Amino acid sequence: MTNPRRIACWICCGLLCGVVLAGCGQSRAEPQARSEPLAARPKTPLKSAESWPRWRGPGGQGIAGPTRLPEAWPDEDVAPFWRAELGTGWSSPVVAQGKVVITDRQEKQERTLAFEADTGKLLWERSHSVDFNPHEVGLRHGNGPKSTPLIDHGRVYSLGIAGWLECLDLKSGEVLWQINLPERFGTHQRLPGGRAYVNGVENVIVPIGAGEGAPVPLFGYTGSPTLFEDLLVLSVGGERGGTIMAFRAATGEVAWQALDENVSYSSPIVASVAGRPQVVVMTGPHVVGIDPHDGRVLWRHPFQIQYDESIGTPVAAGNFVIVTATGRPLTALRITAAGDACNATVAWENDDLTSYLSSMVIYDGHVYGMNDGGEFACISLTEGKTVWIDGNHGYYCTPVLADSRLLGLNERGDLLVVAASPAGYRELGQSRLADDATWTSPAVTGSRIYIRSKQGLRAFDLGR
C-alpha cells in the first residue's frame, strides 16, 4: 500500500470536476464568500505592473519581480490587512490587475473567486457542481482544488480537482469557454449509482452525465497550467487525450497533444533550455522536454516514482533541468542540442536537497530549497556540490526568491527569510503568518504577501 503520510501530503501541492453538468457555469448573484478588512487601507498601493499571475510567479520558477519589501525584516509578527474565509482546497493565490484570484470547494460546489487586492472585497464568484473524493489516505487535506489558477490578458484559467477546465473573464467572472477533461478525453464507462467512486489504487471514476463516468487521477488533477505565447499547457491524460496538451488560450481549441503515459502530480514549466523554448514536465515515468510550438517530444529521461508520485515543479537554467521526488536525490539533467531534438544526461545527483513535495529555486549559479528534514541547502548548479546546509524548519516549503532573499512558508504558518547567497546559511528574519496549516506557496507582489491557510486567504503589507 501507499505510504499514508506521503500521499496525504502529496495532494497539497502544488493544483473542475467530473460533474453533474446541470450546475456548471452558474454565477451566483449574491456571492457567499466572506471577507473581512482588518485595516483602513494597505500601507502602499499595489502598482499595476506588480503581479503574481501563476503558480510560482511570473516566470513559473519561484522568482518575484522587484519588490518593495523592507531591508530589515520586522521583529514582531505581521498582521494581515484583510482576510477572507474559504472552503477546502490548497490552490495558491494569484494576483494581477488589482485582483487576487483563488479556488475552493464549498460542500458540492467548486468555486473560483476574485477579490479586490487593496480591500479584500469579493468581486465575483463562479461555481459549478462537483462530485469527487480522493483515496481515503488523501482525505486529510480535503477534496477541494489543488491546481493554482493562471491570469493572462484579462482572463483567468482554472483547473479543478476532477478535471473541469475553464476560462473566465477576469473583470466579471463570465465564462468564456470550459472543458470537462474526463468527459472529453477519458474512457467512458457505466457509473453504478451515478456517484463518483475510488477505483482501488488506480483512479477515481467521476460522473460525466447520462449515467456514465470517466477516470481521473487517484488524487485528482493537482498540476497547475502554464502558458506559452497563446497556448495554455497542462497535464491531461486519458484514452483520447495526450499526457500533456496545449489549448488555444482564447478559445479552448486543442492545439497539440503529446505522449501517451500516466500524468504525474507535478506542474509543467516553460523555459529556455539548451537555447530553445521548451515545456519541461514530469510525467508518471519520465522527465520530458517538449517543443511548445507543436508538442513534439525533444527529449525524455526515465524518472519513475512509485505510484507516479512526482509532485515538485521542475526548475531550469541554461542547459540544466533540476528535479527531485520521493526517494530520489536532487537530480540535474544536462540538456544538449542534437539536430532537431535534444539529449538528456544526468550531470549530477545530490542527496542533501531531496524533497517529496517542495520545489526549488535557481539563482546566480546555485540551487536553493528545503529538504524533507527541514534543512535549507545551497547547491552548486554546475557541479552539484553542497555549498551549505542548515536549519530545521518543518517538512514542506516551496520558497520564493525576492530581491536575493528566500521567503519560505512552511506547513506550520511560519515565514522564514534566508539570504540567497553561497557565502553561508544566514537567517534574516521570521514571521508567524498563520496559526493553522499552510500547504501552499505565497504570492509576493511589491510590498505585499498573500497566503492561503486552512482557514482562508490573508493579505499582508510590509510597505517601507
Side-chain angles (χ1 to χ4, degrees), residues 13 19 23 161 189 194 199 220 248 298:
C13 288
V19 295
I161 188 96
Q189 60 188 70
N199 182 24
R248 299 291 175 191
L298 301 173

Side-chain angles (χ1 to χ4, degrees), residues 136-451:
E136 60 183 3
V137 297
L139 290 177
R140 171 187 172 193
H141 292 289
N143 55 11
K146 311 297 189 296
S147 174
T148 293
L150 184 151
I151 302 174
D152 182 71
H153 283 83
R155 297 187 288 257
V156 176
Y157 302 93
S158 176
L159 175 63
I161 188 96
W164 188 263
L165 174 67
E166 59 185 353
C167 173
L168 309 174
D169 181 84
L170 176 60
K171 184 177 180 179
S172 66
E174 177 188 357
V175 173
L176 302 179
W177 57 262
Q178 52 191 197
I179 301 172
N180 185 331
L181 297 181
E183 189 279 330
R184 177 126 172 229
F185 301 110
T187 304
H188 292 199
Q189 60 188 70
R190 191 174 66 86
L191 187 66
R195 296 298 306 276
Y197 69 91
V198 177
N199 182 24
V201 293
E202 296 298 319
N203 46 44
V204 176
I205 308 300
V206 298
I208 58 173
E212 289 190 318
V216 302
L218 189 62
F219 292 89
Y221 286 90
T222 66
S224 302
T226 190
L227 202 68
F228 172 75
E229 296 179 351
D230 66 337
L231 301 179
L232 186 73
V233 181
L234 64 151
S235 299
V236 175
E239 180 185 45
R240 292 170 288 165
T243 309
I244 311 299
M245 296 183 63
F247 300 86
R248 299 291 175 191
T251 64
E253 175 189 1
V254 174
W256 54 256
Q257 54 193 66
L259 301 171
D260 182 20
E261 54 195 45
N262 287 346
V263 299
S264 75
Y265 298 85
S266 179
S267 301
I269 64 169
V270 175
S272 178
V273 184
R276 63 190 303 172
Q278 301 186 24
V279 173
V280 179
V281 64
M282 302 175 79
T283 69
H286 292 98
V287 185
V288 182
I290 298 171
D291 189 323
H293 299 93
D294 56 16
R296 184 167 52 90
V297 176
L298 301 173
W299 58 270
R300 74 174 84 185
H301 179 79
F303 207 78
Q304 179 72 61
I305 308 300
Q306 189 178 31
Y307 305 106
D308 297 328
E309 290 183 275
S310 294
I311 301 168
T313 303
V315 287
N319 284 15
F320 291 97
V321 168
I322 310 294
V323 293
T324 190
T326 179
R328 300 292 291 264
L330 188 72
T331 301
L333 301 177
R334 181 178 284 111
I335 312 301
T336 55
D340 291 336
C342 295
N343 292 325
T345 57
V346 176
W348 51 260
E349 296 178 331
N350 188 309
D351 288 313
D352 285 338
L353 200 44
T354 184
S355 176
Y356 177 60
L357 285 167
S358 307
S359 303
M360 310 301 162
V361 169
I362 297 176
Y363 173 62
D364 198 20
H366 296 84
V367 185
Y368 296 91
M370 193 183 86
N371 63 26
D372 287 343
E375 301 168 301
F376 272 79
C378 170
I379 310 293
S380 166
L381 176 62
T382 55
E383 299 176 346
K385 295 181 179 179
T386 300
V387 178
W388 54 255
I389 181 169
D390 205 342
N392 182 6
H393 301 289
Y395 176 69
Y396 166 78
C397 173
T398 287
V400 171
L401 181 75
D403 304 328
S404 75
R405 292 175 288 183
L406 299 170
L407 309 183
L409 181 67
N410 68 16
E411 77 280 3
R412 300 180 302 224
D414 297 318
L415 182 77
L416 181 72
V417 185
V418 175
S421 168
Y425 174 79
R426 185 162 58 99
E427 293 185 22
L428 302 176
Q430 186 168 332
S431 297
R432 184 77 166 171
L433 299 187
D435 295 321
D436 54 336
T438 47
W439 290 95
T440 62
S441 187
V444 180
T445 61
S447 61
R448 299 186 191 178
I449 299 174
Y450 300 88
I451 72 163

Side-chain angles (χ1 to χ4, degrees), residues 6-36:
R6 285 182 173 174
I7 291 190
C9 294
W10 158 32
I11 63 169
C12 297
C13 288
L15 294 202
L16 283 176
C17 59
V19 295
V20 179
L21 292 178
C24 295
Q26 298 300 312
S27 181
R28 302 187 180 191
E30 297 182 2
Q32 301 300 307
R34 292 193 300 168
S35 59
E36 179 185 2

